[in-house]
């Protein structure tokens, strides 16, 4: 039976920062959602299981084969789908055989079913492409689909998937969910996609307390987790109350004993009591006081043990808080206007053709469409990062844009320095307070951006864009939930719901779009379909 077992698994960064400690977990023939806050070690755990990292302590035991999907696909300029599948050489042999150039040994080793099996794997994720298609020709979402197809190509015993729906359009997300719905082997899925997590057989939560397993999908996990947290908080409050009551009783007992001892001493000082009797009374009083002290200490120790046990069940978390000052944007103010815009990197094959768009007041518009339809191109056009081929673009208010790669941040500078550069009027105290609200407290604010995880970098970018004293009247966000943990997504949802400016965003997360109150959708089509 295929299995993955983690035993006392520990790992630290090269500079000694602990990430995983004494982790125990087991995975079988099931689909498991691996969840937890950014930086808790989810991607690290997948890399340890895959053998890409070596444990600092403990071990990983894998019985069976693995298929791996990473968050980002790195590729060379000439690398093809066949190379991604690991069959570039075998495909080249087939090509030589078809041309009559293959030797006898090559013909005997040729896999004549290879192309058919590649096509079948690509079809499972809804991607129609030839094996010799260069990866550079594919969009980010198409590369994600291709990588998932490569992971399932050899029918592994376990799939290790790291954010498989990131960068995918709606059909792509549905293809991933359909694949996993029919997957009958094992799968460990790191994801913040609440729809996808609702298809899991179990949820494993990574936290500072270790790995906790919950049977059932995301919805059941949230219900059970909420009940557990409430019960743990109640037990902690009860234990702390009991400890305080023991302290009060011990203090009252000590004060009563002191009063009795004082009264006895005063009576002895007045005379009339034999000295031997006074000595006996003092000895009895000291013995009684000693016994009371020992009893009080035992009760205090038991109470402290109960408090510690209750605290061990409660993870001390700081919640992210996104609170934006008002922008004062009038309801009738024109925010932006595009008239007859054609744009793209290739004037001969523009992604956007003859597009007109206007936004007035605090409107909320989502740009939607399949991968490769020009959504990110449109945002870059509005932000002035790309000039139109034809037409005009006018932005009439102050704005800020946050792209998928968080390119607004200097990777060589600290989070603090980036914030002060992007918000030049901010004081040091205001900077630190804002960064703390985005979970970068004290020395965490001094981390270099280039060392952050994907989720941490996005959170830092959001802090720098949203955290100034005067937020922009127009926010332009490109897939703002990519790489964020779910608690952070919910905090962003709450902050954007209260934001009174205009919002233009690209997102494939339907739950997120619904919760931030999108009022209108602009649907783009890829260039081989009808124009936008």
């Amino acid at each position: 039976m295929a299995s993955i077992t983690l035993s006392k698994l520990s790992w630290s960064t090269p500079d000694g920062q602990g990430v995983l400690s004494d982790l125990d977990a087991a995975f079988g023939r099931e689909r498991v959602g691996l969840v937890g806050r950014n930086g808790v070690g989810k991607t690290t755990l997948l890399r340890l299981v895959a053998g890409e990292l070596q444990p600092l302590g403990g071990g990983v035991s894998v019985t069976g084969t693995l298929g791996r999907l990473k968050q980002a696909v790195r590729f060379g300029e000439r690398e093809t789908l066949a190379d991604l599948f690991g069959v570039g050489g075998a495909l080249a042999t087939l090509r030589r055989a078809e041309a009559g150039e293959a030797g006898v040994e090559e013909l005997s080793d040729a896999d004549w079913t290879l192309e058919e099996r590649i096509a079948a794997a690509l079809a499972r994720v809804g991607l129609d492409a030839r094996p010799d298609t260069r990866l550079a020709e594919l969009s980010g979402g198409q590369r994600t689909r291709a990588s998932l197809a490569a992971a399932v190509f050899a029918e592994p015993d376990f799939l290790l998937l790291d954010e498989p729906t990131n960068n995918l359009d709606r059909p792509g997300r549905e293809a991933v969910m359909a694949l996993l719905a029919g997957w009958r082997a094992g799968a460990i899925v790191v994801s913040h996609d609440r729809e996808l997590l609702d298809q899991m057989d179990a949820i494993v939560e990574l936290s500072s307390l270790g790995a906790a397993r919950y049977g059932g999908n995301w919805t059941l996990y949230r219900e059970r987790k909420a009940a557990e947290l409430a019960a743990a908080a109640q037990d902690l409050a009860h234990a702390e109350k009991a400890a305080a009551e023991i302290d009060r009783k011990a203090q009252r007992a000590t004060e009563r004993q002191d009063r009795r001892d004082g009264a006895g001493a005063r009576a002895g000082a007045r005379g009339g009591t034999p000295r031997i009797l006074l000595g006996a009374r003092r000895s009895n009083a000291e013995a009684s006081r000693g016994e009371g002290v020992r009893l009080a200490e035992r009760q205090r120790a038991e109470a402290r043990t109960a408090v510690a046990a209750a605290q061990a069940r409660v993870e001390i978390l700081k919640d992210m808080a996104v609170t934006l000052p008002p922008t004062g944007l009038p309801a009738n103010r024109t925010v932006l206007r595009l008239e007859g815009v054609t744009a793209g990197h290739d004037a001969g094959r523009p992604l956007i053709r003859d597009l007109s768009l206007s936004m007035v007041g605090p409107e909320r518009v989502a740009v939607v469409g399949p991968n490769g339809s020009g959504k990110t191109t449109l945002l870059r056009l509005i932000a002035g990062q790309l000039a139109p081929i034809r037409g005009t673009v006018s932005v009439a208010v102050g704005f800020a844009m946050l792209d998928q790669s968080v390119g607004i941040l200097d990777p060589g500078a600290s989070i603090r320095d980036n914030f002060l550069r992007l918000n030049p009027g901010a004081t040091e105290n205001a900077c630190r307070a804002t960064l703390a609200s985005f979970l970068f407290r004290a020395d965490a604010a001094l981390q270099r951006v280039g060392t952050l995880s994907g989720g941490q970098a996005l959170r830092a970018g959001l802090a720098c864009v949203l955290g100034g004293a005067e937020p922009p009247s127009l926010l332009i966000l490109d897939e703002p939930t990519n790489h964020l943990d779910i608690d952070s997504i919910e905090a962003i949802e709450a902050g954007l719901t209260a934001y009174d400016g205009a919002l233009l965003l690209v997102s494939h997360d339907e739950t997120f779009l619904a919760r931030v109150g999108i009022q209108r959708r602009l649907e783009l089509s890829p260039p081989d379909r009808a124009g936008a």
Side-chain angles (χ1 to χ4, degrees), residues 245-262:
E245 182 62 24
I246 287 171
D247 284 339
R248 284 193 294 271
K249 287 181 178 179
Q251 181 63 30
R252 287 197 296 268
T254 299
E255 291 171 353
R256 284 196 299 269
Q257 186 65 46
D258 287 343
R259 286 194 294 271
R260 284 194 296 268
D261 291 349

Side-chain angles (χ1 to χ4, degrees), residues 202-285:
I203 300 293
V204 169
E205 179 194 43
L206 281 188
S207 73
S208 61
L209 303 181
R213 170 181 284 266
Y214 297 81
N217 63 11
W218 170 258
T219 299
L220 292 174
Y221 154 75
R222 290 292 272 191
E223 292 172 356
R224 287 185 57 193
K225 181 69 175 178
E228 279 186 10
L229 288 174
Q234 185 175 10
D235 289 348
L236 178 58
H238 177 75
E240 290 175 338
K241 181 179 179 180
E245 182 62 24
I246 287 171
D247 284 339
R248 284 193 294 271
K249 287 181 178 179
Q251 181 63 30
R252 287 197 296 268
T254 299
E255 291 171 353
R256 284 196 299 269
Q257 186 65 46
D258 287 343
R259 286 194 294 271
R260 284 194 296 268
D261 291 349
R266 288 191 295 274
R270 289 194 297 269
T273 304
R275 184 168 298 180
I276 190 170
L277 184 57
L278 288 173
R281 286 179 177 175
R282 279 196 297 272
S283 296
N284 289 339

Side-chain angles (χ1 to χ4, degrees), residues 25-356:
F27 304 89
R29 199 178 180 86
E30 58 187 342
R31 299 163 301 176
V32 176
L34 187 62
V35 303
R37 293 202 167 195
N38 293 136
V40 78
K42 303 183 294 295
T43 295
T44 297
L45 178 56
L46 290 192
R47 295 186 66 192
L48 286 162
V49 171
E52 297 172 8
L53 295 175
Q54 294 304 310
L56 183 66
V60 179
S61 174
V62 178
T63 303
T65 56
L66 302 175
R68 173 91 158 92
L69 172 69
K70 302 178 181 180
Q71 279 191 31
V73 181
R74 293 183 174 86
F75 56 91
E77 180 63 27
R78 304 190 64 80
E79 193 170 354
T80 66
L81 280 174
D83 296 322
L84 182 65
F85 277 63
V87 295
L91 188 64
T93 298
L94 284 183
R95 293 288 181 261
R96 286 195 298 274
E98 291 167 353
E101 300 170 355
V104 175
E105 290 186 4
E106 287 182 315
L107 288 173
S108 65
D109 292 336
D111 181 356
W112 299 100
T113 68
L114 183 60
E115 289 191 86
E116 182 181 344
R117 291 190 294 115
I118 292 175
L122 292 171
R124 292 178 74 173
V125 297
L127 185 60
D128 181 14
R130 301 181 312 279
D132 56 0
T133 301
R134 289 190 301 122
L135 296 179
E137 298 174 8
L138 302 177
S139 70
Q142 289 171 327
R143 286 195 294 272
T144 298
R145 291 203 207 191
S147 298
L148 183 57
V152 304
F153 177 64
E155 297 292 339
D157 296 304
F158 282 97
L159 285 176
L160 306 180
L161 307 182
D162 199 352
E163 299 289 3
T165 57
N166 267 9
N167 303 316
L168 290 183
D169 54 20
R170 188 67 201 172
R173 290 163 74 100
E174 289 172 352
V176 171
M177 287 188 278
L179 185 148
L180 281 171
W183 188 253
R184 294 296 173 260
I188 304 176
V189 184
V190 171
S191 181
H192 66 261
D193 187 325
R194 289 161 282 192
E195 285 185 87
L196 180 62
L197 291 172
D198 257 337
Q199 292 190 186
M200 298 295 104
D201 302 310
I203 300 293
V204 169
E205 179 194 43
L206 281 188
S207 73
S208 61
L209 303 181
R213 170 181 284 266
Y214 297 81
N217 63 11
W218 170 258
T219 299
L220 292 174
Y221 154 75
R222 290 292 272 191
E223 292 172 356
R224 287 185 57 193
K225 181 69 175 178
E228 279 186 10
L229 288 174
Q234 185 175 10
D235 289 348
L236 178 58
H238 177 75
E240 290 175 338
K241 181 179 179 180
E245 182 62 24
I246 287 171
D247 284 339
R248 284 193 294 271
K249 287 181 178 179
Q251 181 63 30
R252 287 197 296 268
T254 299
E255 291 171 353
R256 284 196 299 269
Q257 186 65 46
D258 287 343
R259 286 194 294 271
R260 284 194 296 268
D261 291 349
R266 288 191 295 274
R270 289 194 297 269
T273 304
R275 184 168 298 180
I276 190 170
L277 184 57
L278 288 173
R281 286 179 177 175
R282 279 196 297 272
S283 296
N284 289 339
E286 290 170 0
S288 176
R289 177 184 288 275
E291 181 61 31
V293 169
R294 287 190 293 274
L295 176 61
E297 283 304 314
R298 283 198 303 273
Q299 290 175 332
R300 284 191 175 111
E302 291 170 358
R304 285 194 294 268
T305 299
V307 170
Q311 286 175 333
R313 295 172 53 205
V314 179
E315 185 183 17
I316 307 302
L317 296 175
K318 299 294 185 181
D319 290 328
M320 179 171 157
V322 181
T323 304
L324 305 179
T327 66
L329 179 65
N332 60 352
R333 178 72 181 274
T334 297
V335 174
L336 69 86
R337 188 184 302 277
L338 282 70
E339 295 183 353
V341 169
T342 294
H345 297 283
D346 183 352
R349 295 184 59 201
L351 285 173
I352 297 171
R353 295 178 184 271
D354 299 323
L355 175 65
S356 295

